[in-house]
Short mmCIF file of all heavy atoms in Angstrom, two decimals:
data_model
loop_
_atom_site.label_atom_id
_atom_site.label_comp_id
_atom_site.label_asym_id
_atom_site.label_seq_id
_atom_site.Cartn_x
_atom_site.Cartn_y
_atom_site.Cartn_z
N GLN A 120 214.70 233.58 87.15
CA GLN A 120 214.24 232.48 88.03
C GLN A 120 212.76 232.13 87.72
O GLN A 120 212.37 230.91 87.57
CB GLN A 120 214.40 232.84 89.52
CG GLN A 120 215.89 232.82 89.93
CD GLN A 120 216.03 233.29 91.39
OE1 GLN A 120 215.15 233.91 91.97
NE2 GLN A 120 217.13 232.95 91.99
N ASN A 121 211.93 233.22 87.68
CA ASN A 121 210.50 232.91 87.40
C ASN A 121 210.24 232.36 86.02
O ASN A 121 209.40 231.50 85.80
CB ASN A 121 209.70 234.24 87.57
CG ASN A 121 209.60 234.62 89.04
OD1 ASN A 121 209.71 233.85 89.96
ND2 ASN A 121 209.36 235.94 89.24
N LEU A 122 211.01 232.88 85.06
CA LEU A 122 210.96 232.36 83.66
C LEU A 122 211.36 230.86 83.61
O LEU A 122 210.68 230.04 83.00
CB LEU A 122 211.87 233.14 82.78
CG LEU A 122 212.04 232.69 81.35
CD1 LEU A 122 210.70 232.91 80.54
CD2 LEU A 122 213.14 233.48 80.60
N SER A 123 212.40 230.55 84.36
CA SER A 123 212.84 229.13 84.36
C SER A 123 211.85 228.16 85.04
O SER A 123 211.69 227.09 84.58
CB SER A 123 214.23 229.04 85.08
OG SER A 123 215.22 229.81 84.40
N LEU A 124 211.24 228.66 86.07
CA LEU A 124 210.25 227.84 86.75
C LEU A 124 209.00 227.57 85.87
O LEU A 124 208.49 226.51 85.81
CB LEU A 124 209.77 228.56 88.08
CG LEU A 124 210.83 228.52 89.24
CD1 LEU A 124 210.38 229.41 90.32
CD2 LEU A 124 210.91 227.12 89.73
N PHE A 125 208.61 228.60 85.12
CA PHE A 125 207.49 228.48 84.20
C PHE A 125 207.94 227.51 83.05
O PHE A 125 207.15 226.61 82.70
CB PHE A 125 207.08 229.78 83.63
CG PHE A 125 206.01 229.70 82.54
CD1 PHE A 125 204.70 229.28 82.91
CD2 PHE A 125 206.26 230.01 81.25
CE1 PHE A 125 203.74 229.20 81.94
CE2 PHE A 125 205.28 229.93 80.28
CZ PHE A 125 204.01 229.50 80.61
N ALA A 126 209.14 227.68 82.59
CA ALA A 126 209.62 226.82 81.49
C ALA A 126 209.65 225.35 81.91
O ALA A 126 209.43 224.44 81.04
CB ALA A 126 211.00 227.31 80.98
N LYS A 127 210.00 225.08 83.15
CA LYS A 127 210.13 223.70 83.60
C LYS A 127 208.84 222.93 83.56
O LYS A 127 208.83 221.69 83.38
CB LYS A 127 210.64 223.70 85.06
CG LYS A 127 210.81 222.33 85.66
CD LYS A 127 211.82 221.48 84.87
CE LYS A 127 211.92 219.99 85.39
NZ LYS A 127 210.67 219.22 85.06
N LEU A 128 207.71 223.65 83.46
CA LEU A 128 206.44 222.95 83.31
C LEU A 128 206.33 222.27 81.99
O LEU A 128 205.48 221.34 81.79
CB LEU A 128 205.28 223.96 83.42
CG LEU A 128 205.05 224.61 84.82
CD1 LEU A 128 204.02 225.73 84.68
CD2 LEU A 128 204.65 223.62 85.85
N PHE A 129 207.21 222.59 81.04
CA PHE A 129 207.16 221.99 79.69
C PHE A 129 208.50 221.38 79.27
O PHE A 129 208.64 221.03 78.10
CB PHE A 129 206.74 223.12 78.65
CG PHE A 129 205.53 223.88 79.13
CD1 PHE A 129 205.74 225.14 79.71
CD2 PHE A 129 204.28 223.34 79.14
CE1 PHE A 129 204.63 225.89 80.21
CE2 PHE A 129 203.21 224.08 79.58
CZ PHE A 129 203.33 225.29 80.11
N LEU A 130 209.40 221.24 80.22
CA LEU A 130 210.71 220.66 79.98
C LEU A 130 210.98 219.56 80.97
O LEU A 130 210.77 219.75 82.12
CB LEU A 130 211.83 221.70 80.02
CG LEU A 130 211.77 222.82 79.01
CD1 LEU A 130 212.77 223.91 79.40
CD2 LEU A 130 212.11 222.29 77.61
N ASP A 131 211.47 218.41 80.51
CA ASP A 131 211.75 217.32 81.40
C ASP A 131 213.23 217.31 81.84
O ASP A 131 213.57 216.54 82.72
CB ASP A 131 211.43 215.99 80.73
CG ASP A 131 212.24 215.74 79.49
OD1 ASP A 131 212.72 216.69 78.91
OD2 ASP A 131 212.30 214.53 79.09
N THR A 132 214.08 218.14 81.23
CA THR A 132 215.51 218.01 81.54
C THR A 132 216.07 219.28 82.17
O THR A 132 217.25 219.24 82.62
CB THR A 132 216.31 217.77 80.22
OG1 THR A 132 215.99 218.76 79.28
CG2 THR A 132 215.90 216.36 79.63
#
Side-chain angles (χ1 to χ4, degrees):
Q120 287 175 342
N121 288 339
L122 175 67
S123 297
L124 286 169
F125 177 65
K127 179 61 186 72
L128 293 172
F129 313 102
L130 295 168
D131 61 338
T132 57

